[in-house]
Amino acid sequence: MQLSKDQETPPSSPRSPPPKLSTVACPSRKPRERTSSPFSEVLRRKRPPMLNRELFPQAPPWSREAVKTPPYEDVEAEKDGVYSVYCKRGRRRSMAMEDRHSAVVDHDGGGRRKAFFGVYDGHGGSNAAEFAAENLGNNIEAAVAAAARSGDEGYSIERAIREGYLKTDEEFLKEGSGGGACCVTALISNGELAVSNAGDCRAVISRAGVAEALTTDHSPNQENELKRIRASGGYVDCHHGVWRVQCTLAVSRAIGDEYLKKWVIAEPETRTLKIKPELEFLILASDGLWDNVTNQEAVDVVRPYCIGVENPKTLPACKKLAELSSRKGSLDDISVIIIQLKQFVA
């Protein structure tokens, strides 16, 4: 995981964007020279020792049998003008594809009333991404159903999504498979959109052609994430030009990551909004896209394919975004889902 170059993403909160988060730039470094700055000195003060992985039991080696979806090159799908998916394997050819996705649209009496979409960016292997793709949507749906049965009127969709993320994380950790995954999901029901994320996968919506990020990239250099990590006894350091938790991971929230779980939490941030005609489409993507393509660039690429045309086709737009990021130097896996929101206006 690398830090996003597009730092335009506002924090997520229900219905209204809060003030912009402050971040700390990674200090420049010379070969064999440790950069000194007031902030980095504070980070290193009273720092706990690095994790000794030998103290923990090792997870069994990953095998083809342990991964239900084998490594693959590119994946593409398009569904009745509702959504398109394109997953492009990164140019690090020695590594298997670690991204996964999910897309489910329910039909209720002929109308599309409910849908769930997700992009999952694995690190340390694809196990966590695979597990999240198979279980996260079901766990959220089960939490919603349980709340409906209980008749708890104070139960919110944000709470159900949070429970779904945390249960998925708990179940994955019990498997002892190793690795982790960043997630971004979109739950659509009765004309309402709930977008959530943990990590640096991002959701961007087009509001009459203007890009609006609905999620915050959870990076260790964000002030609120840094305070949380330090309060729980961890530290953040600049390693090879990137801020990392325990000098290891470049994201501060994810599913999995057992040995960093005390600091790398699976708690999502969620934003909900009513789907109105001016909300044209939603882009969910891994950081393989956002590290090289800005929010507005992405909207500008997609819009001609689905706005003001007789037969909108967003699969070519997904491919165009992936190609643009690759052309700008991305070596990472790139996964993109484009959802046409007019299909879900209540």
Side-chain angles (χ1 to χ4, degrees):
M1 295 293 162
Q2 298 296 322
L3 292 178
S4 172
K5 295 178 182 177
D6 178 11
Q7 296 294 338
E8 300 171 4
T9 51
S12 303
S13 66
R15 304 191 182 276
S16 61
K20 186 177 180 180
L21 287 175
S22 60
T23 59
V24 179
C26 208
S28 59
R29 298 171 68 96
K30 297 179 181 179
R32 301 187 181 184
E33 179 182 357
R34 188 169 185 86
T35 303
S36 177
S37 70
F39 182 78
S40 59
E41 290 300 325
V42 171
L43 282 178
R44 290 194 293 271
R45 191 179 303 134
K46 296 182 180 180
R47 188 170 66 186
M50 292 185 65
L51 288 174
N52 182 356
R53 294 175 182 267
E54 295 180 357
L55 298 178
F56 298 93
Q58 297 298 309
W62 296 325
S63 64
R64 181 174 298 273
E65 290 75 17
V67 181
K68 296 183 180 179
T69 301
Y72 49 85
E73 293 291 333
D74 297 347
V75 170
E76 59 183 66
E78 193 165 23
K79 178 69 173 179
D80 301 331
V82 178
Y83 70 88
S84 297
V85 179
Y86 184 62
C87 303
K88 179 180 176 63
R89 183 182 174 187
R91 288 186 284 174
R92 300 186 184 98
R93 309 309 292 180
S94 61
M95 297 179 62
M97 178 76 159
E98 293 181 327
D99 283 7
R100 295 293 187 268
H101 75 276
S102 58
V104 179
V105 179
D106 287 345
H107 297 262
D108 182 7
R112 297 181 178 94
R113 300 292 184 183
K114 184 171 64 173
F116 182 81
F117 304 94
V119 169
Y120 315 96
D121 182 0
H123 47 264
S126 61
N127 287 4
E130 187 95 27
F131 190 89
E134 293 177 355
N135 295 281
L136 182 53
N138 292 334
N139 286 338
I140 292 173
E141 185 175 15
V144 172
R149 289 194 301 269
S150 69
D152 185 355
E153 296 181 357
Y155 196 94
S156 66
I157 190 66
E158 291 89 347
R159 181 178 165 188
I161 292 171
R162 177 182 180 274
E163 290 181 3
Y165 269 71
L166 296 181
K167 182 177 181 181
T168 302
D169 181 59
E170 180 183 357
E171 291 174 342
F172 176 71
L173 292 176
K174 288 179 180 178
E175 294 205 344
S177 299
C182 298
C183 311
V184 61
T185 58
L187 177 64
I188 302 175
S189 180
N190 298 321
E192 293 276 342
L193 170 66
V195 173
S196 311
N197 79 309
D200 58 4
C201 293
R202 190 185 305 169
V204 172
I205 202 167
S206 174
R207 189 186 294 270
V210 178
E212 179 183 340
L214 299 182
T215 57
T216 301
D217 298 345
H218 295 130
S219 303
N221 66 326
Q222 289 178 354
E223 187 176 6
N224 62 333
E225 294 294 276
L226 173 62
K227 288 180 178 179
R228 175 183 60 77
I229 292 166
R230 294 189 67 202
S232 58
Y235 70 92
V236 173
D237 199 6
C238 189
H239 186 67
H240 296 308
V242 179
W243 289 114
R244 297 179 183 274
V245 180
Q246 303 295 107
C247 206
T248 302
L249 191 63
V251 293
S252 53
R253 301 193 189 196
I255 284 175
D257 296 304
E258 178 182 3
Y259 302 119
L260 297 171
K261 196 74 266 175
K262 186 176 179 180
W263 311 287
V264 179
I265 62 176
E267 177 125 11
E269 289 187 294
T270 297
R271 183 173 175 186
T272 61
L273 62 162
K274 186 78 172 177
I275 300 177
K276 298 180 180 179
E278 65 265 25
L279 301 182
E280 298 169 335
F281 54 85
L282 179 68
I283 305 171
L284 306 180
S286 59
D287 70 324
L289 175 70
W290 303 118
D291 278 355
N292 298 280
V293 178
T294 69
N295 298 341
Q296 191 60 52
E297 276 183 308
V299 166
D300 291 343
V301 167
V302 174
R303 204 162 186 263
Y305 289 90
C306 58
I307 302 300
V309 294
E310 186 174 348
N311 295 309
K313 294 292 183 181
T314 52
L315 182 56
C318 288
K319 293 182 177 180
K320 190 83 170 181
L321 287 175
E323 291 166 4
L324 176 60
S325 184
S326 293
R327 198 162 61 244
K328 287 189 171 188
S330 175
L331 302 177
D332 202 358
D333 299 336
I334 304 169
S335 294
V336 183
I337 300 179
I338 299 175
I339 304 140
Q340 299 191 56
L341 294 175
K342 67 180 181 181
Q343 303 285 345
F344 300 98
V345 177

